[in-house]
């Protein structure tokens, strides 16, 4: 039974990640476009519906799935095939210890909203994220291409260097929380925004964030890929679904990294300034408020879309897109309001319903924070230029490492004083 | 079918002996080094099994020390390998025999 | 009872991957098999209720030491022609026989002892806090000595790595 529940949780987390990845790719393209003052993807459409370019990601998935899978002649075949799998697998399994919400009390059983609440949870995160380098290194070596090899070498040196700062940055946090368990760290931060680690450990946060960019191989630290110098670095020789696995691994890394930042520095699933007890006491009120808010949002949003309808703008099916999306939005909004008027007189949550509602709310808040950091990753990528390799190493060893050590020293002193 | 202390000790002995085999038979210095790491891990397994049997955690502390030694050994050893390859262009220990009388 | 499954599964995996490691010609293949072997070790450690050490095993061996190994192998970039298959049939056979003799000897010695069962443990055995407490009280001096050792290792590897001092 326990194993079945764990398998179910693993599968659902995996599905959530897989389904966020195309959205992130869309967000990246749109974000890049707006930063560079263009429109971004807006052509691909299904029956005229483009969803602001989201259909483009869907087309990408189909394209990558059906492309020919090329394995070059002189590669080390087993490792060449294994490398993308390692990259993607390692990127996703970190999520096993991230708590998404308070445990749900269902009668006598307690349902943890995380796969495993390990005692050494934070160490597990580092252990797994340190394995991410294998995918890149083995891909670089197995492809038997000098650009790949250089990319793999660079990534190995870079990841090992930045892992040190990454690990030392969070020492301050577990000194303060007194535990390596992620649930304890979230509980320590609580719902008071002024007690979150972002304000208690700002130096650690900046070191962690910078090191995380290096660990995910994203700009400004994307030297393993470095299009202008290494063509595409470690994945030059990859095509089709193997390339897609690397691509997905990169975005999975972003999601995982955002989850870890949220958990460690931004109070996890806590809603700022709203303690769990307060929601528990006024759960009905909160639910009604959300209900009405959602209804008004869909009416207004639908209305705005419908107003944009102008016949003959493109002269084809795409003209009707605002109507197709906007009109149902308005209808749903009014339907929700009607339902509210009929049923929302006197009602109460069942005990378990209330728990599930609160957990959903917390998971939603967690997801909102995570998506914000995903956007932050994209924002940085299209704003900062790439580092030079010696600058990267100097930053890692001569700036961030001493800063992290000083941070530990100061934190230790403060913890001892109080 | 209970798993006893003896099971773990025999497993550790087998792994240790495989490590010895690697050190004795192979001539590739990288693989010799990896075999030494394997032997160290096998020793860790013994430490942890005895710890589990005695119900104390002192063995865990010693494993910690062994891991530190392994890390230090890998850092220095790989430095030696790189220096050796730079000077002799070989990674085979039987080709490095200048001190042989 | 899951323990026999874990023991035989991961123990078998460790032995098989260790054998593969010592017999590969290509050092990268050896290193990859050794990484798998260390995972099996970590799983065995966790079966022995040593959670902290199990995670540290993955973090340190798989995450740091083996990355360093593969990095060096890639850095040396030994071509396929240099990786001449050094078939040492006689010494390999002899070494294998000696190894098997050694294993049999140790096993027979171990089997002479009475069977020792594992007792149930107290809650929290092998967690981070108790191990850390031991490390900073009873074993403080050895712990500090390891930090000196690491310092020596850092200085040593820097000296090794420099072309000219």
């Amino acid at each position: 039974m326990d194993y079945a529940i764990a398998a179910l949780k693993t599968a659902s987390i995996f599905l959530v990640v897989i389904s966020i990845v195309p959205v992130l790719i869309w967000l990246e393209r749109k974000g890049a476009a707006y930063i560079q003052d263009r429109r971004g993807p807006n052509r691909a459409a299904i029956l005229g519906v483009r969803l602001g370019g989201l259909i483009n990601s869907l087309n990408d998935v189909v394209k990558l799935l059906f492309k020919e899978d090329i394995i070059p002649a002189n590669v080390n075949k087993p490792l060449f095939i294994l490398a993308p799998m390692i990259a993607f697998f390692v990127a996703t399994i970190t999520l096993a210890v991230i708590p998404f919400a308070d445990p749900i009390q269902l009668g006598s059983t307690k349902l943890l909203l995380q796969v495993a609440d390990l005692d050494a949870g934070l160490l597990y995160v580092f252990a797994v994220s340190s394995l991410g380098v294998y995918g890149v290194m083995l891909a670089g070596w197995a492809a038997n291409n000098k650009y790949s090899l250089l990319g793999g070498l660079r990534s190995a040196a870079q990841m090992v260097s930045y892992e040190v700062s990454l690990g030392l940055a969070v020492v301050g946090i577990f000194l303060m929380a007194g535990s390596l368990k992620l649930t304890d760290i979230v509980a320590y931060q609580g719902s008071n925004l002024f007690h979150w680690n972002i304000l208690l450990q700002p130096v650690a946060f900046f070191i962690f964030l910078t090191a995380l960019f290096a660990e995910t191989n994203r700009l400004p630290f994307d030297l393993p890929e470095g299009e202008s110098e290494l063509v595409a670095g470690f994945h030059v020789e990859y095509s089709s679904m193997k390339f897609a696995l690397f691509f997905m691994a990169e975005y999975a890394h972003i999601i995982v990294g955002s989850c870890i930042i949220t958990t460690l520095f931004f109070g996890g699933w806590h809603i700022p300034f709203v303690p769990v007890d307060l929601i528990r006491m006024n759960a009905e009120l909160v639910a009604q408020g959300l209900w009405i808010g959602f209804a008004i949002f869909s009416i207004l949003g639908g209305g705005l879309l419908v107003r944009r309808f102008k016949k003959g703008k493109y002269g084809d099916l795409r003209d009707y897109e605002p109507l197709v999306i906007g009109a149902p939005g308005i209808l749903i909004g009014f339907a929700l309001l009607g339902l509210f008027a009929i049923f929302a007189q006197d009602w109460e949550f069942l005990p378990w319903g209330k728990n599930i509602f609160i957990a959903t709310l917390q998971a939603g808040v967690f997801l909102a924070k995570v998506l914000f950091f995903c956007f932050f990753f994209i924002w940085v990528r299209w704003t900062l230029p790439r580092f030079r390799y010696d600058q990267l190493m100097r930053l890692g060893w001569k700036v961030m490492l001493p800063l992290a050590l000083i941070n530990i020293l100061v934190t230790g002193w403060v913890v001892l004083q109080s | 079918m209970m798993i006893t202390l003896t099971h773990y000790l025999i497993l550790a002995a087998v792994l240790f002996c495989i490590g010895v085999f690697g050190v004795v038979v192979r001539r590739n210095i990288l693989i010799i080094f990896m075999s030494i790491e394997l032997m160290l891990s096998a020793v860790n397994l013994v430490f942890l099994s005895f710890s589990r049997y005695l119900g104390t955690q002192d063995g865990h502390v010693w494993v910690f020390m062994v891991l530190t030694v392994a890390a230090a050994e890998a850092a220095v050893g790989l430095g030696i390998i790189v220096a050796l390859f730079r000077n002799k262009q070989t990674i085979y220990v039987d080709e490095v025999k200048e001190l042989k009388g | 009872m899951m323990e026999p499954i874990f023991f035989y599964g991961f123990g078998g995996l460790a032995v098989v991957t260790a054998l593969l490691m010592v017999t590969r010609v290509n050092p990268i293949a050896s290193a990859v098999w050794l990484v798998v072997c260390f995972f099996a070790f970590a799983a065995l450690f966790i079966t022995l209720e040593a959670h902290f050490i199990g995670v540290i095993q993955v973090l340190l061996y798989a995450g740091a030491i083996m990355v360093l190994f593969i990095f060096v192998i890639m850095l040396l970039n030994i071509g396929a022609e240099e990786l001449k298959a050094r078939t040492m049939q006689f010494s390999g056979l002899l070494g294998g026989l000696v190894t098997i003799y050694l294993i049999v000897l140790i096993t027979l010695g171990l089997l002479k002892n009475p069977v020792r069962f594992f007792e149930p443990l107290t809650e929290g055995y092998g967690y981070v806090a108790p191990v850390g407490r031991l490390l900073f009280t009873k074993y403080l001096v050895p712990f500090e000595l390891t930090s000196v050792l690491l310092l020596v290792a850092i200085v040593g590897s820097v000296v090794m790595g420099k072309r000219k001092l």
Side-chain angles (χ1 to χ4, degrees):
Chain A
M1 190 61 192
D2 287 351
Y3 290 99
I5 289 176
L8 207 67
K9 282 188 213 164
T10 315
S12 48
I13 288 174
F14 193 70
L15 275 179
V16 169
V17 171
I18 294 259
S19 49
I20 291 180
V21 166
V23 179
L24 271 189
I25 293 172
W26 168 76
L27 196 66
E28 173 118 289
R29 287 182 177 150
K30 273 297 194 199
Y34 282 115
I35 286 168
Q36 295 169 348
D37 207 10
R38 21 180 204 101
R39 274 296 174 80
N42 63 354
R43 286 293 185 274
I46 293 176
L47 294 178
V49 176
R50 296 165 298 171
L51 291 176
L54 202 56
I55 300 299
N56 206 303
S57 297
L58 205 66
N59 283 6
D60 263 356
V61 173
V62 176
K63 176 194 79 175
L64 285 166
L65 272 173
F66 288 102
K67 247 187 168 173
E68 187 191 349
D69 186 17
I70 299 167
I71 297 182
N74 288 319
V75 299
N76 184 320
K77 217 168 165 190
L79 289 182
F80 187 79
I81 295 168
L82 197 66
M85 294 181 194
I86 296 176
F88 184 65
F89 177 70
V90 163
T92 43
I93 55 171
T94 320
L95 285 169
V97 292
I98 306 280
F100 295 103
D102 236 357
I104 304 177
Q105 199 78 41
L106 290 176
S108 59
T109 52
K110 204 169 158 193
L111 186 67
L112 282 176
L113 281 179
Q114 79 195 90
V115 176
D117 193 11
L118 294 183
D119 177 60
L122 201 51
L123 282 177
Y124 170 87
V125 169
F126 286 116
V128 172
S129 69
S130 65
L131 302 176
V133 64
Y134 281 109
V136 177
M137 277 168 81
L138 292 177
W141 184 81
N144 202 6
N145 172 318
K146 66 183 89 151
Y147 292 123
S148 300
L149 186 72
L150 279 175
L153 274 174
R154 278 182 175 191
S155 114
Q158 171 182 330
M159 284 199 178
V160 168
S161 308
Y162 276 81
E163 217 161 78
V164 181
S165 317
L166 194 75
L168 288 177
V170 296
V171 169
I173 289 173
F174 61 72
L175 273 180
M176 287 167 71
S179 172
L180 286 169
K181 241 186 199 176
L182 288 173
T183 40
D184 286 354
I185 291 172
V186 172
Y188 171 78
Q189 297 181 70
S191 54
N192 183 0
L193 189 116
F194 296 114
H195 204 252
W196 285 2
N197 281 328
I198 170 68
L199 293 172
L200 298 181
Q201 292 273 342
V203 180
F205 172 68
F206 285 109
I207 297 169
F208 191 82
L209 192 68
T210 316
L212 205 62
F213 275 103
E215 288 283 307
T216 46
N217 284 334
R218 293 209 23 122
L219 270 164
F221 302 112
D222 73 335
L223 291 137
E225 295 176 37
E227 288 88 348
S228 49
E229 28 195 298
L230 292 181
V231 200
F234 62 91
H235 57 62
V236 187
E237 302 284 359
Y238 283 90
S239 62
S240 155
M241 209 50 211
K242 293 203 188 70
F243 169 75
L245 275 178
F246 276 122
F247 204 56
M248 276 155 70
E250 185 181 329
Y251 287 94
H253 258 303
I254 295 175
I255 297 168
V256 168
S258 307
C259 284
I260 296 169
I261 289 186
T262 308
T263 311
L264 292 182
F265 292 98
F266 285 84
W269 40 257
H270 281 296
I271 307 163
F273 298 121
V274 186
V276 182
D277 294 337
L278 196 66
I279 309 175
R280 197 173 292 280
M281 278 192 294
N282 304 309
E284 287 80 9
L285 218 60
V286 174
Q288 288 171 0
L290 281 177
W291 186 283
I292 294 181
F294 185 71
I296 292 174
F297 172 78
S298 49
I299 291 172
L300 288 181
L304 278 176
L305 269 175
V306 170
R307 274 187 51 180
R308 284 179 56 176
F309 171 65
K310 206 172 88 196
K311 205 163 160 50
K313 194 175 168 196
Y314 296 98
D316 60 20
L317 222 51
R318 279 180 290 171
D319 284 346
Y320 296 94
E321 189 188 8
L323 274 188
V324 173
I325 302 171
I330 296 177
L331 288 179
I332 288 170
F334 277 116
L336 286 175
L337 276 185
L339 282 176
F340 183 77
I342 297 167
F343 292 111
Q345 320 295 339
D346 255 343
W347 61 285
E348 262 183 5
F349 273 119
L350 297 167
W352 54 269
K354 197 184 218 169
N355 285 331
I356 289 179
F357 171 70
I358 291 170
T360 318
L361 207 62
Q362 287 166 339
V365 170
F366 186 82
L367 195 66
K369 290 179 189 173
V370 167
L371 282 179
F372 170 76
F373 280 103
C374 292
F375 174 71
F376 185 78
F377 270 84
I378 288 160
W379 187 9
V380 168
R381 171 169 178 184
W382 296 101
T383 313
L384 295 180
R386 183 181 300 144
F387 273 68
R388 216 173 52 212
Y389 201 70
D390 60 320
Q391 292 170 333
L392 170 98
M393 282 295 163
R394 199 187 316 136
L395 178 71
W397 288 105
K398 292 190 179 167
V399 179
M400 289 190 4
L401 184 61
L403 261 182
L405 288 173
I406 292 170
N407 185 46
I408 292 173
L409 199 70
V410 173
T411 312
W413 187 73
V414 170
V415 169
L416 273 184
Q417 291 299 307
S418 55
Chain B
M1 182 70 202
M2 285 285 283
I3 298 300
T4 61
L5 179 63
T6 319
H7 284 83
Y8 278 101
L9 293 183
I10 291 174
L11 176 65
V14 170
L15 287 164
F16 188 87
C17 291
I18 293 172
V20 173
F21 174 79
V23 172
V24 171
V25 171
R26 295 305 301 261
R27 286 287 164 268
N28 187 328
I29 192 165
L30 287 158
I31 292 174
I32 291 178
F33 253 106
M34 285 187 231
S35 302
I36 292 173
E37 301 291 343
L38 179 67
M39 284 155 72
L40 286 172
S41 266
V43 171
N44 286 349
L45 190 57
V46 176
F47 269 127
L48 290 177
S49 341
F50 272 111
S51 255
R52 171 77 179 80
Y53 170 67
L54 296 169
T56 62
Q57 291 170 33
D58 298 47
H60 297 205
V61 176
W62 288 110
V63 171
F64 203 82
M65 310 286 175
V66 172
L67 288 173
T68 322
V69 172
E73 179 232 324
V76 177
L78 289 171
I80 294 175
I81 292 175
V82 172
L84 180 79
F85 190 77
R86 197 184 291 141
N87 290 323
K88 301 261 181 265
Q89 275 75 45
T90 182
I91 50 163
Y92 294 100
V93 283
D94 51 350
E95 288 175 13
V96 186
K97 49 188 176 185
E98 253 150 55
L99 284 179
K100 205 164 154 189
Chain C
M1 274 307 281
M2 294 301 285
E3 210 195 338
I5 301 175
F6 285 140
F7 176 79
Y8 287 110
F10 288 113
L13 183 68
V15 171
V16 170
T17 50
L19 278 173
L20 283 168
M21 188 275 285
V22 294
T23 50
R24 292 306 93 185
V25 176
N26 190 337
I28 289 252
S30 272
V32 172
W33 284 120
L34 191 58
V35 172
V36 181
C37 187
F38 283 145
F39 269 101
F41 264 111
L44 284 171
F45 291 176
I46 288 167
T47 318
L48 283 167
E49 308 290 331
H51 307 277
F52 176 50
I53 299 294
V55 178
I56 288 283
Q57 168 91 5
V58 175
L59 180 64
L60 200 66
Y61 267 124
I65 295 180
M66 291 319 292
V67 171
L68 214 58
F69 264 99
I70 295 183
F71 179 75
V72 167
I73 298 171
M74 281 166 67
L75 193 71
L76 302 181
N77 198 15
I78 305 135
E81 62 279 6
E82 282 165 72
L83 277 178
K84 45 203 161 183
R86 296 176 150 246
T87 45
M88 299 197 180
Q89 278 160 356
F90 178 68
S91 68
L93 196 66
L94 195 69
L97 285 176
V98 170
T99 308
I100 290 166
Y101 175 68
L102 211 59
I103 291 172
V104 170
L105 210 65
I106 297 175
T107 309
L108 288 179
L110 284 172
L111 286 178
K112 267 186 207 145
N113 287 309
V115 177
R116 294 171 203 274
F117 291 99
F118 289 140
E119 309 290 326
L121 290 166
T122 49
E123 173 68 26
Y125 176 88
Y127 279 13
V128 183
V131 179
R133 202 162 287 127
L134 270 180
L135 207 56
F136 283 98
T137 51
K138 195 173 167 190
Y139 294 100
L140 184 63
V141 177
F143 178 73
E144 295 297 335
L145 282 178
T146 52
S147 58
V148 176
L149 176 78
L150 282 178
L151 183 68
V152 172
I154 292 170
V155 174
S157 49
V158 169
V159 171
M160 286 289 167
K162 275 234 185 271
R163 273 162 209 271
K164 259 185 247 148
L165 277 178

